[in-house]
């Protein structure tokens, strides 16, 4: 092993300025045994670096090579596996664990011992030694800086050099001395024993000389010892003085420690006093209620403005004291508990006093407001609640305080307010609607006619039955409608435009009075009860419902209140409770208006739509918007019912078999409806509803005009169609209804077609024999006979033609035209004034026939000189004379 160690030092470590201190022959545990050496080395230069190097024999030769090196500072644990039994295995824990098996336990122990010494010297015991025999470690000499000689070639330990280092390399000086010594002895190399013996003899000579020199200097040694004894005595005296000084300083130290401790206690006491003062000041500043505030809460005047202000300030101060954020431990203080109890008693007392006072105010308001109902009973106005709201708003801050401190009493006040105000508003609104109904119907007698009894204002009458229509032979349209049709609630004979305008103004007045009343009350509730009415909501309690084009907000059943999920819902619930009668009274008023005249539904639809639109722009989910939306549905149903009734009446029309038809009543009623509707719906929001009604009505008019024309026996079908479609066309042209442009063109076309048909049918063949003669001529020509050869036919010669012409002198023609005029006059009615139009067209048709006959005479009887016994001018004169005579 020594030879291997020397070879490794020479070949591997000396070139790297390293010294090999220990070596162990090992192989890896559990694998095929490939031997290598673990070497413990230190560098020869400072700072010293200690390493564990793995050296392996080369596969290509007998030399060794350095395989891997670890710094000793990276070694964490040395595990010897067993501290009692001999075991060649051991582990080294670097960045990972390396398991080794030494060739012998002695080599392992020697290597671990060297590692322990290097750890003691260079790493200050940073490495943990596990399963290493404590006896082995105790036997190892302690390595210190003093025990290790300095210099480049210093040993690892200062004791047993041989056990630490078996080999130590010579330095240059030692090599030089040995070379000089060996040069002086020629046989030093050839006879090493003789050379060693010589060196031993010289060493003995030197030792003897040293002993003699020591003996010669014994006197100086004695002197030196004496001086040392004296020095020791001086040292003893100095130590005594130092001991006395130390005792004195110890006393001073104790006194200074006592002073320092006393200062610390004083500082601690001052700190505690400052903190205690801060806590007391905090409690006093935040939990002390002024006597004035206490007096205001206990005895303050809640009726005067000054007293209300004092109570408000006191209540805010009390709330601040009760809501102060106490610091940890404050709630355990008896004084704090007592003060909190006192605050609670004050709060309870003032809340009870405030609730009682406001309840009295609510009751008094009901009495005061009731006394003013009489002056409004004859006027269509609602009492003004602004003074009451103004007085109550002085308590708004106190209501907010009550809401934050005693929600039970706040809820009680809310309920009482709704109870008192709902009864008050119910009386006011009932009386208001009663006045409105009386104004609509006129006198009390007339109100009984429409089913109004007493003050209830409810409709008890039944709807009027619809009598069958009978068409009269003469008279203007209004008298004709009056005598033929009991129009019930559609007729304009009982109620003229002035009556409808009066109804419109009354209905508008009702809505205009209700709207500010509801808005003012809702605004007051929001301010007085401190409820947010414009906060964002995840949903509303209304949903759009399309009822044949009507979009309305459906509210809940007023008898089943919804759970209050927000302050906005609470406002709505309160409004529903307070104004629970508005919707039913509005519906009752609408039913009365519809019963008086179904055309009133047009006025109500426009007015109600406008107010709903206005309310939805302010707040689409408000009580007013919801209620008006519901009422609007009723109005739209009445409007649809009005349209349906008109169509039904059209279908039920019956005509007289003995009189001419003229303008049908439902055509005149459509004209009246359209004119009224256009004036009402001008610039209205719900024009679409009217356009849909127009479409239904005009279709019904078209269908039923044709139906009546087909059933007519006295009046020709073409006359019924011509006159009525002319009237419809004139009405649509005058009113310029954009949605009925197609129907207007259709009406014009039907009028034109039936006018032409009637003219041709009525005129017929006024020169009948002459017509038959020329029809025979045209037949011969059609059979292939040339026109100029027709005169050679026996039945159609010139003589026969002259005979036929002589039968129609001018006098007979005029007589025939006169009879025709009387016949047409008998068919047509006076209202449309179409007689002259029809007569002019008949004149044109007669002239056309006359020209046709002259043309045939000219072509078939050329040069015969045969002519009619009257001219075109005669025809014009005849027609003009007949028209003027009638």
């Amino acid at each position: 092993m020594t030879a291997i160690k020397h070879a490794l030092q020479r070949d591997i470590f000396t070139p790297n300025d390293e010294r090999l201190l220990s070596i162990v022959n090992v192989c890896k545990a559990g694998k095929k045994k490939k031997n290598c050496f673990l070497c413990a080395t230190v560098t020869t230069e400072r700072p010293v670096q200690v390493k564990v190097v793995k050296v392996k024999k080369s596969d290509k030769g007998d030399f060794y090579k350095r395989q891997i090196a670890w710094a000793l500072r990276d070694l964490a644990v040395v595990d010897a596996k067993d501290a009692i039994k001999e075991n060649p295995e051991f582990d080294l824990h670097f960045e990972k664990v390396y398991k080794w098996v030494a060739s012998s336990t002695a080599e392992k122990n020697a290597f671990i011992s060297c590692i322990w010494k290097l750890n003691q010297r260079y790493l200050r015991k940073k490495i943990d030694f596990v399963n290493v025999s404590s006896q082995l470690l105790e036997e190892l000499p302690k390595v210190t800086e003093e025990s290790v000689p300095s210099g480049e070639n210093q040993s690892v330990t200062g004791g047993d050099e041989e056990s630490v280092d078996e080999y130590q390399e010579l330095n240059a000086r030692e090599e030089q001395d040995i070379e000089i010594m060996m040069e002086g002895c020629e046989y030093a190399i050839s006879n090493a024993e003789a050379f060693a013996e010589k060196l031993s003899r010289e060493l003995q000579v030197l030792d003897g000389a040293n002993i003699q020199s020591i003996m010669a200097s014994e006197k100086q040694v004695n002197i030196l010892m004496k001086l040392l004894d004296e020095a020791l005595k001086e040292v003893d005296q100095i130590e005594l003085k130092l001991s006395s000084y130390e005792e004195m300083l110890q006393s001073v130290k104790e006194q200074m420690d006592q002073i320092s401790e006393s200062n610390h206690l004083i500082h601690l006491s001052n700190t505690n006093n400052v903190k205690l003062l801060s806590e007391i000041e905090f409690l006093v500043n935040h939990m002390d209620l002024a006597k004035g505030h206490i007096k205001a809460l206990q005895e303050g005047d809640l009726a005067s403005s000054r007293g209300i202000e004092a109570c408000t300030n006191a209540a805010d101060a009390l709330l601040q004291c009760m809501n102060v954020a106490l610091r940890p431990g404050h709630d355990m203080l008896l004084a704090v508990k007592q003060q909190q109890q006192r605050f609670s008693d004050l709060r309870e007392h003032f809340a009870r006093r405030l609730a009682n006072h406001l309840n009295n105010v609510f009751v008094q308001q009901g009495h005061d407001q009731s006394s003013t109902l009489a002056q409004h009973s004859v006027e269509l106005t609602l009492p003004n609640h602004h003074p009451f709201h103004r007085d109550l708003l002085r308590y708004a801050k106190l209501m907010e305080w009550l809401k934050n401190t005693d929600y039970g009493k706040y809820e009680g006040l809310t309920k009482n307010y709704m109870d008192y105000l709902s009864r008050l508003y119910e009386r006011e609104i009932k009386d208001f609607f009663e006045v409105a109904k009386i104004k609509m119907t006129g006198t009390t007698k007339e109100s009984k006619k429409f089913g109004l009894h007493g003050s209830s204002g409810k409709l008890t009458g039944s709807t009027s039955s619809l009598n069958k229509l009978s068409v009269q032979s003469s008279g203007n349209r209004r008298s004709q409608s009056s005598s033929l049709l009991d129009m019930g609630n559609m007729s304009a004979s009982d109620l003229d435009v002035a009556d409808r305008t009066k109804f419109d103004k009354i209905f508008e007045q009702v809505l205009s009075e209700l709207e500010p009343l509801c808005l003012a009350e809702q605004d007051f509730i929001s301010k007085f009860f401190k409820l947010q009415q414009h906060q964002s909501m995840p949903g509303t309690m209304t949903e759009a419902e399309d009822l044949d084009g009507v979009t309305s907000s459906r509210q809940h059943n007023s008898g089943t209140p919804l759970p209050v999920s927000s302050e906005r819902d609470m406002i709505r619930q309160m409004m529903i409770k307070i104004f629970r009668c508005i919707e039913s009274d509005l519906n009752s008023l609408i039913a009365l208006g519809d019963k008086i005249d179904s055309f009133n539904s047009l006025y109500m639809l426009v007015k109600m739509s406008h107010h709903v639109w206005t309310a939805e722009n302010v707040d689409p989910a408000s009580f007013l918007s919801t209620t008006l939306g519901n009422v609007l549905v009723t109005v739209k149903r009445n409007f649809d019912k009005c349209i349906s009734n008109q169509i039904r009446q059209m279908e039920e029309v019956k005509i007289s078999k003995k009189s001419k038809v003229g303008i049908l009543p439902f055509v005149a009623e459509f004209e009246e409806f359209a004119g009224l509707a256009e004036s009402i719906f001008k610039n209205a929001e719900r024009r679409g509803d009217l356009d849909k009604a127009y479409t239904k009505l005009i279709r019904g008019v078209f269908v039923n005009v044709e139906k009546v024309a087909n059933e007519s026996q006295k009046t020709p079908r073409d006359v019924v169609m011509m006159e009525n479609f002319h009237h419809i066309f004139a009405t649509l042209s005058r009113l310029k209804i954009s949605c009925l442009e197609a129907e207007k063109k259709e009406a014009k076309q039907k009028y034109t077609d039936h006018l032409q048909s009637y003219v041709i049918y009525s005129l017929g063949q006024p020169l009948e024999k002459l017509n038959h003669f020329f029809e025979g001529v045209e037949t011969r020509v059609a059979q292939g006979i040339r026109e100029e050869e027709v005169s050679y036919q026996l039945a159609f010669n010139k003589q026969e033609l002259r005979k036929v012409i002589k039968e129609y002198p001018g006098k007979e023609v005029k007589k025939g035209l006169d009879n025709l005029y009387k016949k047409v006059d008998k068919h047509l009615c006076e209202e449309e004034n179409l007689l002259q139009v029809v007569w002019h067209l008949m004149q044109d048709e007669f002239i056309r026939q006359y020209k046709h006959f002259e043309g045939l005479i000219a072509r078939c009887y050329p040069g015969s000189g045969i002519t009619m016994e009257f001219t075109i001018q005669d025809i014009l004169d005849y027609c003009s004379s007949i028209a003027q005579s009638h």
Side-chain angles (χ1 to χ4, degrees), residues 281-301:
E281 287 178 347
F282 173 81
L283 293 175
V284 170
N285 292 336
H286 292 85
M287 295 194 68
D288 186 30
L289 192 62
K291 293 182 178 179
H293 288 335
I294 295 175
K295 184 176 181 181
L297 292 173
Q298 292 176 340
E299 305 173 359
D301 183 11

Side-chain angles (χ1 to χ4, degrees), residues 64 89 145 208 231 258 269 470 520 529 598 603 676 752 755:
Y64 293 90
E89 296 181 3
E145 289 290 342
Q258 292 178 357
S269 177
S470 60
F529 292 98
S598 64
Y603 292 97
L676 179 64
T752 304
L755 174 61

Side-chain angles (χ1 to χ4, degrees), residues 24-38 54-56 88-91 98-104 107:
V24 57
N25 185 7
V26 297
C27 64
K28 288 187 177 181
K31 292 187 178 182
K32 186 178 180 181
K33 294 185 178 181
K34 292 184 179 181
N35 290 345
C36 59
F37 295 98
L38 291 179
K54 178 182 177 183
V55 177
K56 185 178 180 182
E89 296 181 3
F90 67 98
D91 297 342
Y98 294 91
K99 299 181 180 294
W100 307 101
V101 179
S103 58
S104 67
E107 286 185 17

Side-chain angles (χ1 to χ4, degrees), residues 197-211:
E197 186 178 351
K198 180 183 177 182
L199 291 178
S200 177
R201 286 197 301 270
E202 290 179 356
L203 181 59
Q204 290 176 359
V205 173
L206 288 174
D207 289 339
N210 287 335
I211 291 171

Side-chain angles (χ1 to χ4, degrees), residues 290-386:
K291 293 182 178 179
H293 288 335
I294 295 175
K295 184 176 181 181
L297 292 173
Q298 292 176 340
E299 305 173 359
D301 183 11
L302 289 171
S304 64
S305 298
R306 182 175 296 179
I308 293 172
E309 183 179 1
C311 290
T312 302
N313 295 334
D316 290 340
L318 176 62
L319 187 62
Q320 290 179 4
C321 291
M322 296 187 69
N323 292 338
V324 63
L326 295 177
R327 295 170 183 172
H330 284 176
D331 54 351
M332 300 177 65
L333 296 175
L334 179 60
V336 172
K337 292 180 179 179
Q338 292 175 347
Q339 191 73 345
Q340 288 178 333
Q341 183 61 41
R342 186 182 182 192
F343 290 157
S344 298
D345 295 341
L346 274 174
R347 179 191 64 188
E348 181 66 24
H349 174 74
F350 180 69
R352 185 167 56 253
R353 200 162 68 90
L354 175 62
N356 292 335
H357 178 77
L358 289 178
N359 278 326
N360 293 333
V361 173
F362 297 158
V363 175
Q364 186 63 34
Q365 163 64 11
H367 294 310
D368 294 344
Q369 204 72 13
S370 297
S371 62
T372 65
L373 289 178
Q375 67 185 34
H376 294 278
S377 60
V378 295
E379 301 175 3
L380 194 58
T381 57
L382 283 166
N384 187 4
H385 288 249
H386 175 70

Side-chain angles (χ1 to χ4, degrees), residues 441-467:
T441 57
T443 63
T444 305
K445 292 182 179 180
E446 291 179 356
S447 66
K448 289 182 179 179
K449 173 184 174 182
F450 290 100
L452 297 181
H453 299 284
S455 60
S456 64
K458 294 182 179 179
L459 293 172
T460 59
S462 60
T463 58
S464 300
S465 61
L466 187 66
N467 297 328

